[in-house]
Amino acid sequence: MAKQVTIDTEECIGCEACVELCPDIFAFDEEEGKSHVIKAEGGDEECIEEAVASCPAGCISYE
Ligand code: SF4
């Protein structure tokens, strides 16, 4: 099975780091003030790993 990106939105602090790094994978929800995954599968692996490492809340998982 392909790896899936998920965000624990409870933990997301809305810093938008992930959106800036990988705009194809993550999008910011202005209303909620949190980011969401728009492409859970088949995205640029390197970019996703970087987003996981850069998330200050540690709430992105990729497995
Ligand atoms: S990097 Fe983490 S805390 Fe920041 S918006 Fe993305 S998921 Fe939320």
Side-chain angles (χ1 to χ4, degrees):
M1 215 173 86
K3 286 170 98 177
Q4 300 259 348
V5 188
T6 50
I7 292 179
D8 179 351
T9 46
E10 291 284 312
E11 300 295 324
C12 173
I13 58 167
C15 71
E16 292 187 69
C18 57
V19 181
E20 274 168 39
L21 281 165
C22 327
D24 294 343
I25 315 284
F26 305 101
F28 191 69
D29 184 325
E30 297 284 347
E31 234 165 74
E32 226 187 319
K34 291 169 188 276
S35 289
H36 288 271
V37 175
I38 51 172
K39 185 175 171 145
E41 245 184 77
D44 182 336
E45 197 153 328
E46 225 170 278
C47 190
I48 297 163
E49 298 285 5
E50 206 180 327
V52 170
S54 305
C55 176
C59 63
I60 305 172
S61 42
Y62 186 45
E63 51 196 14

